[in-house]
Amino acid sequence: MERTESVAPSTRPIPISLILLVACAVHLPLLLMELPLHSYDTNFHIFFASHYLHHWFDPWNTKWYAGFSQTTYPPLPQQWIAVLSNILGLDLAYMAVQFISILLLAVGVYRFSLLWVSQRAASFAALASVFLGSESFLVYSAGQLSTTSAAPLYLNALPYLYEWVRHGKWRSFIKATVLFMAAAAAHHATLLFGSMFFALPVLALALLERQEGEQTSTSAIVIRTVVISVVVGIAIAVILLPFWIALLHNPVKQTPIPHGSRANFILSPLLGLNYFLIPYGALILVLPFIVLRGSARVRLRPLLIGFWVAFLVGLGGTTPAGHLLLGRAYEVLTMERFTYWATLLALPFVGLLATELIDRFRLRAVVGLGVGAALTCGLAVGWITFHPADAADFKVDTVAAWLDRDGHDKYRYITLGFGNKVARLAVLTDASSVDGEWNSGRTLPELTENSGGSLANSKYFGKGGLDALRAILYHADHYGLKWVFVKDPYYEPLLSFAGWRRVDDLEEKTITVWSKEGAPPAVAMNIAQIPPHWQGIMWGIFPFGSSILALLVVLIPEERWVSRPTAEPATSEELTPGRLMS
């Protein structure tokens, strides 16, 4: 009897506190090393945050595109960076916000998984989120802070959404509403497009379970769904009103810019490796289980459908799903966010599989799952080393110092061959550029009419990128453009042909400075697009205020969830399954 008890698998869930400690052990050292600074978009978010740090109530930023409005991008993560930077500095403040998002993700996955599986399986799902390949890919390689900040808020809101539509609890209604507001303030695309994959399965689950336990009529569920949809819609419309106004006045009509996540991964194996294999990692081995178990259990089918649609869209041009479902938005969005959402939807299945494997194979299953998780996380973290955002790591401090002396900042500049150092340079200098990294914020016709992204990387966009560069150089006098900083000699013949001449060298002659004679000083541009003062006040109060309100509201005590069936076979643990929703 003693031996039998000693080898019996534990049926207790992993404490959430232990899962958070694991997240600290895995990600905190990497963030303290400031590893995300080498990613694609981290400097972009720090640039936005630096503007809020100095101009909290004025979203008009003159440093890019001869002036653009930051109301074109939801501000919550960047505003938190700006607030924390007063203590930590911009770089460490970014790491702090990203770290909080990682911790919130583990909690959100646990609470979301409780809708579908037992507490034990949900705890395994939360633990798996710490090692999730797509999360590490977005944090350390892509640098998509807004996506990784909004998703945890959204996941934490969904159980409250279920409690409201299923049981009509007003506390849950309030909590769901404020968390949805904060999620929208962090990233609009997560709420607009993520609802198809997350909220609809939760609503379908409420309909499936309407006759179990505390019975609820279909009409009541529909009415509650409409009520919360209207209230959340109005709240988000108010919180992000300057965003909607900017989108209405300047809709995204620019020529589509190519992106690797929209490629056919079969025809482009390297892109498939980058946008499929690295984010999924060992989850690829779980795909058959997800399909088989999700189709076999009725209550798991909504989750399976949500996962499967997100999975197909995340494959980019490999399937026609993205074009069919997103339409014009397909040419604007990048598809790695859909892969991220698909992996989050897969985690309840991962927790379910982990419980079954451990119950059957015990220590061997623990070792196998641990190795798979470690390899998945490690490969995604280390991918930036094998596939760096920039071919060479270099400093831009001397360029910033050059621009800020001798009146050089009276003119505008562009950089060529600087990669994502464009945003880092903009943080360090007061000078203005006609280039930038936020494509949806640009309105200059030379940029919007050509299929190129940042001018700093124009050669990688083929004809469209080089046409945009030539057009900007041709109209340099119109924009007060006098300086071009070149890191890549590829562009020097083009500059010489366009009448520019080399005037200085920086960074031990690895960066050359080119100038155009007779260029007039830069003048204010895009005046008609400057948001009025009342929009700046709203932008500085409502999005950040929604997060403060969310922090206060979630502290309201929550009742224990009623007993519900789970997707696992009945065991001694699951005869009376309870769900803690607080």
Side-chain angles (χ1 to χ4, degrees), residues 241-242 245 531-539:
L241 181 60
I245 292 176
H533 184 62
W534 66 268
Q535 289 189 25
I537 298 296
M538 289 188 65
W539 202 244

Side-chain angles (χ1 to χ4, degrees), residues 60 111 117 129 141 167 238 282 311 390 470 487 571:
W60 184 252
R111 300 182 68 254
V117 295
S129 72
S141 185
H167 302 293
V238 173
F311 174 81
D390 288 320
R470 292 189 187 96
K487 185 73 170 67
T571 67

Side-chain angles (χ1 to χ4, degrees), residues 340-357:
Y340 176 57
W341 297 336
T343 58
L344 294 178
L345 289 164
L347 288 178
F349 293 102
V350 173
L352 186 59
L353 177 62
T355 58
E356 296 184 9
L357 290 176

Side-chain angles (χ1 to χ4, degrees), residues 103 127 141 159 161 248 274 318 527 539:
L103 298 181
L127 182 61
S141 185
L161 172 65
L248 180 64
N274 187 75
T318 312
I527 304 299
W539 202 244

Side-chain angles (χ1 to χ4, degrees), residues 266-289:
I266 298 175
L267 302 179
S268 305
L270 180 60
L271 293 175
L273 176 63
N274 187 75
Y275 292 107
F276 179 76
L277 184 60
I278 297 299
Y280 276 98
L283 271 180
I284 295 175
L285 303 176
V286 188
L287 293 179
F289 176 85

